[in-house]
Amino acid sequence: MQHDPDTAAASRQKPHQASVLAAVALGGGIGAVARHAASRAWPTAMDAFPWTTLCVNVVGCALIGILMVTVTETGRRVPPLVRPFLGTGVLGGFTTFSTYAVDVQHLIERGHPATALTYLAGTLAAALAAVWLASAATRKALGVPV
Amino acid sequence: MTWLLVLAGGMLGAPLRYLTDRAVQARHATGFPWGTFTANMAGSVLLGFLTGAALSSHALLFLGTGLCGALTTYSTFSYETLALARGGAGLQAAANALGSVLAGLGAAYVGLTLAQAF
């Protein structure tokens, strides 16, 4: 055990800020492209319920639950760029809050307040349920004490 | 071409969110996720503005789908809300969840109003 690491040891353990930024950027680009692919594969009509964005956000929330338990709660050594690349980058870039907010706004503006409210509340409830269930299931599967 | 625009926007938006989060979280001592909140509000104002402005579809793919999409996040938002709740800060978790959603909608309206004013 090293209680007072010298700077060389510390810099070996902690990735350089530039490599973290590069990992986040690369992951963010991949995540955004994956989200765009989903919206191309399952396009949503103008006044319809935005199912594709809802599914993208809920899947991303489930995956971050799995990732964060695996990376931060198991005590295993995980390469230091895994979390910035997969969590902040890929999943952060895959899920979107701005499209969610603007889609709610458009539904209201175009005269569909009930759909807007259902989408607003439904995404929030499904996203929170997804991250909660996925992290709980991952703890159980990996034998992490709750 | 469209894929490259989304890729480039995403490669800008995600590190911008990371840097925003670091800068904001370093400036307060509470456990509240103001960093993600700030990034989500900024992205919602900007996307509201972009959709209200008459932009080309290429500009929208780069700035809207790519940059705003990656600047904002639902996964970190929901994970941080769950972490607050699990840590016993149920009230803060509820405030983050409801506050973000309502403020995000307000932010989209601010952006749209700005676009209409120009």
Side-chain angles (χ1 to χ4, degrees):
Chain A
M1 288 294 276
Q2 201 171 13
H3 294 286
D4 187 18
D6 60 54
T7 48
S11 69
R12 270 200 300 276
Q13 287 164 352
K14 225 176 160 210
H16 197 270
Q17 177 77 359
S19 56
V20 174
L21 271 178
V24 169
L26 185 64
I30 293 170
V33 165
R35 171 165 41 79
H36 184 53
S39 72
R40 293 267 296 246
W42 301 286
T44 302
M46 185 71 110
D47 293 343
F49 190 90
W51 280 111
T52 306
T53 305
L54 186 147
C55 288
V56 161
N57 278 336
V58 171
V59 167
C61 288
L63 292 176
I64 205 161
I66 296 170
L67 176 75
M68 291 304 284
V69 169
T70 308
V71 170
T72 66
E73 296 182 24
T74 57
R76 297 177 203 185
R77 266 194 64 81
V78 176
L81 288 179
V82 166
R83 184 176 164 181
F85 174 68
L86 289 179
T88 313
V90 175
L91 295 178
F94 183 58
T95 62
T96 174
F97 190 90
S98 50
T99 306
Y100 161 73
V102 166
D103 280 349
V104 171
Q105 177 196 32
H106 284 175
L107 286 168
I108 295 171
E109 289 294 298
R110 297 178 60 82
H112 306 286
T115 310
L117 186 64
T118 309
Y119 178 56
L120 179 105
T123 300
L124 182 63
L128 291 174
V131 70
W132 178 56
L133 290 172
S135 57
T138 308
R139 272 184 206 106
K140 202 167 182 187
L142 298 178
V144 178
V146 179
Chain B
M1 180 63 180
T2 61
W3 298 95
L4 284 178
L5 289 167
V6 174
L7 178 73
M11 289 186 78
L12 276 179
L16 205 54
R17 167 167 41 81
Y18 172 75
L19 292 172
T20 302
D21 185 56
R22 295 261 315 229
V24 171
Q25 292 307 90
R27 277 166 178 75
H28 69 93
T30 69
F32 198 81
W34 286 114
T36 303
F37 181 87
T38 305
N40 278 344
M41 295 313 121
S44 298
V45 171
L46 184 58
L47 190 63
F49 179 84
L50 294 170
T51 53
L55 290 181
S56 71
S57 62
H58 279 173
L60 265 181
L61 281 169
F62 173 60
L63 295 171
T65 309
L67 189 117
C68 288
L71 172 61
T72 62
T73 174
Y74 222 97
S75 49
T76 302
F77 157 65
S78 67
Y79 177 76
E80 288 172 341
T81 302
L82 178 69
L84 283 172
R86 277 176 55 86
L91 206 62
Q92 287 192 47
N96 188 45
L98 296 175
S100 292
V101 164
L102 295 177
L105 181 59
Y109 270 102
V110 168
L112 178 69
T113 308
L114 284 172
Q116 288 166 345
F118 281 110

